[in-house]
Amino acid sequence: MIDFRSDTVTRPTPGMLAAMQAAPTGDDVFGEDPTVNRLEQLCAGLFGMEAAVFCPSGTMTNQIAIKCHTQPGDEVICEQLSHVYQYEGGGIAFNSGCSVRLLHGDRGRITATQVKQSINADDVHKPVSTLVSLENTANRGGGSCYQFTDIQEIKQVCLDNNLRLHLDGARLFNALVAKHETCGQYGTVFDSISICLSKGLGAPVGSVLIGSGAYIKKARRIRKVFGGGMRQAGYLAAAGIYALENNVARLADDHAHAQRIAAALQKKDFVDEILPVETNIIIFEVKGRFTAPGLSAILKQSNIYAIAISSTQIRFVLHLDISSSMVDETIRVIDTL
Ligand SMILES: *Cc1c(COP(=O)(O)O)cnc(C)c1O
């Protein structure tokens, strides 16, 4: 099976499993799991921020982040296709009691001007704008990356208007590798950063929320309320440490694989627009002979799995468990269609 449905499908490698098995553990709700503590310190250090908290999922880190930055009745500003709005079960309303101001961005990315125009005036009729949430890379933007200078401009608007800035960095490491940027840069502009260890980095479980000491203290309380306090989580944290130490640079291989597959798709008469491939995601429009679900079904007959994300769009996601020979095989199949 060649599984392009998501970069969450990876299984731990023998090296990662060995690291998990060797991990010293304790009860993390008591703060006594040395491996969880090590992962949290490692992440805080990477970003030059004060503290971090390990959570079971990226949905939880995002939702905790939003909860800690807002009060009920506040408004969160984000792009219309963003994960925090589209794929977290209405959590912004459910968990934080906030309304959302949706911006129509460019492949998932918004600008400082758009943010500025969407901040509510200080008026009793209006929800209070308190938080901007960005996504980098932007999943529904086809793995698009922000220009760092654009983020800095958004940060300035936030500073000028007393708004906080959160990053959904589920695939931040893909952006860092593609743009030759560093974690440290991101630590200087965001009030909170959520990263996923279970996407391209290849860990089976886990996300980390990073921020100031006071903020993460509050986040730890909310994690408990949300049911995310785990016990001997060091086995999972060890996978995360292994992923950060071994699986970041190789994301460039996934990006190169995505380019090769996109080039093969480009030649086909049933492929309409392919969103620019910047990282490990390919999103393209299907036309003519096939519908998106139809093409997905045909690929499946050749053991290639890709999701139809709408009636006209298919998404391929590259990851650690897709080898270059699997990419060769995929291109061979595409060529025959
Ligand atoms: C996967 C993902 C998340 C977190 O998802 P979980 O499955 O809850 O870990 C958050 N944001 C984006 C953009 C994602 O792709």
Side-chain angles (χ1 to χ4, degrees):
M1 174 172 183
I2 308 180
D3 197 347
F4 295 105
R5 289 173 303 168
S6 174
D7 43 7
T8 54
V9 300
T10 56
R11 309 270 162 71
T13 56
M16 182 178 281
L17 280 171
M20 293 169 74
Q21 203 161 19
T25 59
D27 191 323
D28 181 51
V29 174
F30 296 155
E32 288 176 3
D33 190 301
T35 310
V36 172
N37 294 341
R38 214 178 114 215
L39 171 64
E40 291 175 349
Q41 281 156 17
L42 171 67
C43 291
L46 275 174
F47 287 87
M49 296 173 97
E50 287 173 357
V53 61
F54 182 50
C55 292
S57 72
T59 298
M60 190 182 282
T61 47
N62 281 332
Q63 291 299 318
I64 291 173
I66 293 165
K67 182 74 184 163
C68 291
H69 284 305
T70 59
Q71 293 295 324
D74 286 356
E75 190 157 87
V76 178
I77 298 168
C78 64
E79 212 276 338
Q80 55 166 343
L81 296 173
S82 58
H83 196 279
V84 292
Y85 178 73
Q86 292 278 357
Y87 304 114
E88 301 190 4
I92 298 177
F94 192 100
N95 297 313
S96 298
C98 292
S99 59
V100 182
R101 178 69 69 92
L102 293 179
L103 303 183
H104 294 247
D106 168 33
R107 289 186 284 127
R109 299 161 305 179
I110 56 180
T111 66
T113 308
Q114 285 181 300
V115 170
K116 200 168 171 182
Q117 286 166 350
S118 66
I119 297 171
N120 291 325
D122 184 6
D123 171 337
V124 288
H125 297 87
K126 299 284 189 180
V128 183
S129 309
T130 47
L131 177 66
V132 177
S133 179
L134 306 183
E135 190 173 308
N136 200 24
T137 68
N139 171 26
R140 287 297 301 262
S144 57
C145 304
Y146 272 90
Q147 293 293 357
F148 192 70
T149 48
D150 292 344
I151 296 176
Q152 287 174 309
E153 285 178 18
I154 293 172
K155 173 65 172 179
Q156 193 55 49
V157 170
C158 291
L159 287 173
D160 294 344
N161 294 277
N162 193 28
L163 268 65
R164 306 286 100 73
L165 185 59
H166 171 69
L167 176 65
D168 175 355
R171 297 190 180 84
L172 178 62
F173 287 93
N174 292 90
L176 298 181
V177 167
K179 292 280 196 188
H180 307 287
E181 295 166 343
T182 65
C183 296
Q185 279 175 272
Y186 280 76
T188 62
V189 287
F190 286 96
D191 296 294
S192 56
I193 297 176
S194 155
I195 59 165
C196 280
L197 303 166
S198 61
K199 295 265 164 84
L201 296 184
V205 175
S207 279
V208 182
L209 179 64
I210 307 144
S212 72
Y215 178 82
I216 295 300
K217 187 170 177 219
K218 194 169 165 188
R220 237 174 248 291
R221 172 173 281 276
I222 302 299
R223 181 184 67 170
K224 192 75 183 101
V225 176
F226 285 0
M230 297 183 284
R231 303 296 177 173
Q232 285 70 39
Y235 297 114
L236 301 175
I241 294 168
Y242 184 92
L244 287 166
E245 289 176 347
N246 295 279
N247 294 343
V248 173
R250 65 150 305 286
L251 292 171
D253 301 344
D254 297 340
H255 301 173
H257 287 160
Q259 291 293 347
R260 288 183 53 208
I261 293 172
L265 288 167
Q266 193 87 65
K267 294 184 223 147
K268 307 307 292 189
D269 65 350
F270 57 83
V271 174
D272 203 348
E273 192 202 352
I274 305 178
L275 292 183
V277 178
E278 297 186 33
T279 52
N280 67 325
I281 298 177
I282 307 164
I283 293 180
F284 63 96
E285 292 281 338
V286 182
K287 66 174 178 187
R289 291 188 278 138
F290 301 122
T291 61
L295 180 57
S296 167
I298 286 165
L299 288 167
K300 201 166 162 183
Q301 288 168 4
S302 300
N303 228 12
I304 295 168
Y305 288 71
I307 292 182
I309 57 169
S310 73
S311 58
T312 60
Q313 287 176 306
I314 291 205
R315 185 184 77 163
F316 279 71
V317 187
L318 278 294
H319 54 76
L320 190 59
D321 287 3
I322 300 281
S323 63
S324 50
S325 60
M326 288 174 177
V327 172
D328 294 342
E329 167 65 7
T330 302
I331 291 170
R332 190 192 65 72
V333 170
I334 291 169
D335 286 346
T336 64
L337 293 176

